[in-house]
Amino acid sequence: MPHTAVPAAELAARLENLRRAMSAAHPDWGMILLDSKIDLYYFTGTMQEGALVITPDEAALFVRHSYECAVRDSSFADIRPLGSFRGIASAFPHIPETVYVATRTMTLQKLAMLQKYLPFAPASIDSILGGLRTVKSAYELECMRHAGKIHAKVLETVAPALLRPGLSEARLCSEICTSMLDHGAMGISRFNQPAAEDVLGLASYSENSLMPTALDSPSGTVGTCIAMKSIGSTERLLRGGDTVLLDIPCGWRGYHTDKSITFYFGDLDENPKADLIRAAHEQCIALEKMTAELLRPGAVPTEIYEKILAAVDPAFRDGFMNSCKFLGHSIGLTMDEAPVLAKGFNDPVVPGMTFAVEPKIALEGIGLIGTENTYEVTEDSTAKSLTGDCETGLEINY
């Protein structure tokens, strides 16, 4: 059931992993203070306004709103109501000189409010938090596998049947997301990047799929308006001869999978550039399969990226990834986690990591052609797709 609480044993294991990592990196650490909704959910199983205080011996979640909701939703052991941050000072009167915080997400305003009652010097814990989320537990993988099953069903089976002349991009995206909800998905996707928002995904036809956005993604869209570069246009209507790019995530119990699929709406044989479109699609399929084969324990993300770049057909290199400098990204509680399949990521891959692999090719005057699926790195074999088949898509006759 979607409203089942994160198990208490899972939360306890995450806290223990955090303490172990902190003691290895900062042996004299005394306190961690977290406030972002993603961090609170990861460690406590609830997303309320408040703060989580962790010491080597204690962990307490202080909730401003809603304490009742937190108690109902969470199996975390110590949840307390919070009137103001003075309450944290009363509960923990011996504040260390240095307190570790998530500098990526904590605002200066929140930091100033905390320091009014808790005089401390902040230090970053970002790399440790990111590292903990990199390798998924059995519980997390179960959630992602469930999301992946919904994903495969809706994008591979439901979406093609929705395509019809006169359908707007935005309407198509919304109908697909409604179908995901009907199948049990959580209904929204979350990002880490400051330029990104919690969104549905996007549907783009032909030329619109090449339009750049603020998000570091090869998939383009004009959006619903200048203020929302996502979902798709309400004005661009589907017509025969369009390519249809769907880049729509799916989530279950907070955990995401990512998947893209490309369709051609009409008889592709009637298009004078049919051979080019098919070749680009086949190239993306081959590159995704090659990446999955390379995603084995001990592999280095930078080296995987460089091998795939070298394997791209010279005819498609200028348009590969639509100017983006990566091939795929880790995924879990947010869409854009680390490590990334790109230059500069040199720590080896380990079992339990999950990557969205998304080779895409921009064809000028045609659109963005590509595939994407989410993969689980396994102990001793090719990475396993959680979201279905990369060979689906392309030709839809109507």
Side-chain angles (χ1 to χ4, degrees):
M1 295 294 293
H3 296 287
T4 301
V6 179
E10 176 78 11
L11 299 178
R14 295 175 185 181
L15 277 176
E16 179 59 28
N17 290 339
L18 174 59
R19 289 185 172 117
R20 187 181 302 115
M22 283 295 293
S23 295
H26 309 284
D28 60 347
W29 76 281
M31 180 176 286
I32 300 165
L33 201 156
L34 303 174
D35 74 313
S36 82
K37 61 185 180 182
I38 297 298
D39 290 332
L40 295 190
Y41 186 75
Y42 184 74
F43 289 109
T44 73
T46 188
M47 282 191 178
Q48 308 307 313
E49 181 187 355
L52 173 63
V53 178
I54 303 168
T55 73
D57 303 310
E58 294 183 76
L61 174 62
F62 293 85
V63 177
R64 186 188 301 276
H65 184 78
S66 158
Y67 172 74
E68 291 78 11
C69 182
V71 171
R72 182 181 68 243
D73 290 351
S74 175
S75 56
F76 190 74
D78 190 348
I79 303 176
R80 311 179 191 183
L82 178 67
S84 75
F85 291 125
R86 185 185 289 110
I88 298 177
S90 299
F92 292 88
H94 304 294
I95 304 297
E97 181 179 337
T98 299
V99 173
Y100 292 86
V101 300
T103 55
R104 182 183 179 94
T105 54
M106 183 172 284
T107 65
L108 290 175
Q109 180 187 38
K110 179 64 71 65
L111 181 61
M113 293 169 63
L114 286 165
Q115 290 176 321
K116 180 178 179 181
Y117 301 107
L118 310 170
F120 64 84
S124 177
I125 195 180
D126 292 359
S127 61
I128 290 176
L129 292 175
L132 291 176
R133 295 219 309 260
T134 294
V135 181
K136 308 303 187 292
S137 68
Y139 170 81
E140 292 175 297
L141 289 172
E142 176 190 353
C143 292
M144 294 185 68
R145 290 168 186 152
H146 194 99
K149 289 178 181 178
I150 297 172
H151 224 157
K153 171 70 173 179
V154 173
L155 286 195
E156 294 179 8
T157 304
V158 176
L162 297 175
L163 301 181
R164 56 193 184 272
L167 179 67
S168 75
E169 294 175 339
R171 180 70 183 185
L172 174 58
C173 184
S174 68
E175 289 184 6
I176 290 171
C177 291
T178 297
S179 179
M180 287 183 176
L181 283 169
D182 290 341
H183 284 79
M186 68 183 188
I188 201 166
S189 301
R190 296 188 171 99
F191 290 84
N192 273 325
Q193 293 185 42
E197 298 178 273
D198 296 350
V199 297
L200 302 178
L202 62 87
S204 290
Y205 304 153
S206 299
E207 73 286 349
N208 282 355
S209 62
L210 301 175
M211 299 292 291
T213 67
L215 184 63
D216 187 16
S217 168
S219 300
T221 178
V222 297
T224 57
C225 61
I226 293 174
M228 176 50 66
K229 298 292 188 178
S230 185
I231 303 174
S233 170
T234 57
E235 299 176 352
R236 177 61 164 88
L237 307 182
L238 184 61
R239 54 180 179 258
D242 274 332
T243 58
V244 179
L245 174 71
L246 304 178
D247 192 346
I248 300 176
C250 184
W252 195 73
R253 290 188 182 175
Y255 286 87
H256 302 82
T257 51
D258 205 1
K259 183 176 177 71
S260 300
I261 195 166
T262 307
F263 297 110
Y264 182 86
F265 189 61
D267 188 345
L268 184 52
D269 289 328
E270 294 181 356
N271 191 312
K273 296 184 178 179
D275 290 344
L276 178 64
I277 295 171
R278 286 196 180 100
H281 193 247
E282 290 169 1
Q283 170 82 133
C284 292
I285 292 170
L287 294 174
E288 183 179 318
K289 288 182 175 181
M290 181 178 176
T291 305
E293 177 65 30
L294 293 171
L295 274 173
R296 294 172 178 263
V300 176
T302 294
E303 295 175 0
I304 294 175
Y305 177 66
E306 291 174 344
K307 288 178 182 178
I308 296 300
L309 280 185
V312 176
D313 188 316
F316 298 127
R317 284 180 183 166
D318 288 346
F320 185 63
M321 294 303 291
N322 203 14
S323 300
C324 289
K325 305 300 182 183
F326 70 95
L327 172 66
H329 53 89
S330 293
I331 185 170
L333 280 175
T334 61
M335 296 290 298
D336 51 339
E337 305 206 346
V340 179
L341 299 179
K343 291 183 178 180
F345 292 87
N346 299 311
D347 290 337
V349 170
V350 300
M353 286 184 171
T354 48
F355 290 89
V357 178
E358 54 174 322
K360 293 183 171 72
I361 295 170
L363 298 179
E364 186 177 354
I366 296 174
L368 192 69
I369 307 297
T371 64
E372 180 180 16
N373 283 288
T374 297
Y375 288 84
E376 172 191 340
V377 179
T378 61
E379 289 282 353
D380 55 7
S381 63
T382 300
K384 177 184 178 182
S385 174
L386 303 181
T387 51
D389 191 352
C390 65
E391 296 187 12
T392 54
L394 201 54
E395 297 182 51
I396 298 294
N397 292 314
Y398 68 99

